[in-house]
Amino acid sequence: MEIKFIPLQTYGDERGSLVALEETKNIPFSIKRVYYMFDTKKNVTRGYHAHRELKQVAIALKGSCKFILDDSVERVEVILNDPAKGLLLDSVIWREITEFSDDCVLMVLADHHYDESDYIRDYNQFLEESRNEI
Ligand code: TYD
């Protein structure tokens, strides 16, 4: 599986650091929705779903977490711990997010509004739909 990271240019000076996100520039789609997770409790794993159409970019603005990505062929673990690095999720990938640090703020940019019908929440259904795509 190809893991697609987006390096985000950091404008740093003696005052600190700044990253700008611009749709269709460093974010490769039009941004319709932004959400973020924080105060995630210990030993929690979130996600357990794939999306049929949705494209997303995840950025750990603070702290760290681990993405477990599954394309139905292999499972790959990715640590997000850098506010200057985006993880692009632009295909039908099953994701689980775990090992949130206490201070983790995980922001996600998405190219569509929230739409439950785009979710695949059953792993066997995900495998079936992935097989149909190949
Ligand atoms: P949920 O899908 O359980 O999150 P995760 O996949 O990370 O485990 O979402 C938690 C709640 O938030 C659920 O009630 C749906 C709601 N929600 C929205 O209303 N809008 C959104 O953009 C997202 C991502 C979730």
Side-chain angles (χ1 to χ4, degrees), residues 77-118:
E77 296 187 351
V78 173
I79 304 283
L80 271 195
N81 60 2
D82 181 352
K85 194 156 100 176
L87 173 64
L88 176 62
L89 301 164
D90 64 351
S91 52
V92 184
I93 299 282
W94 182 266
R95 78 282 316 259
E96 297 166 15
I97 317 165
T98 191
E99 294 182 24
F100 288 85
S101 62
D102 287 346
D103 61 347
C104 183
V105 180
L106 176 64
M107 181 177 73
V108 183
L109 312 177
D111 74 339
H112 281 91
H113 293 295
Y114 182 75
D115 174 11
E116 189 58 38
S117 71
D118 187 62

Side-chain angles (χ1 to χ4, degrees), residues 26-92:
N26 54 359
I27 302 303
F29 50 73
S30 293
I31 301 166
K32 277 271 180 58
R33 176 164 55 106
V34 178
Y35 61 93
Y36 44 93
M37 284 158 254
F38 57 99
D39 282 351
T40 307
K41 305 304 174 217
K42 286 213 181 312
N43 302 318
V44 163
T45 301
R46 305 193 62 127
Y48 295 107
H49 65 254
H51 286 284
R52 295 186 171 92
E53 300 291 340
L54 191 69
K55 293 182 175 49
Q56 301 192 100
V57 172
I59 304 167
L61 294 183
K62 191 168 174 60
S64 66
C65 61
K66 181 195 276 183
F67 273 71
I68 301 164
L69 302 175
D70 181 336
D71 66 355
S72 82
V73 176
E74 60 173 337
R75 279 169 92 85
V76 176
E77 296 187 351
V78 173
I79 304 283
L80 271 195
N81 60 2
D82 181 352
K85 194 156 100 176
L87 173 64
L88 176 62
L89 301 164
D90 64 351
S91 52
V92 184

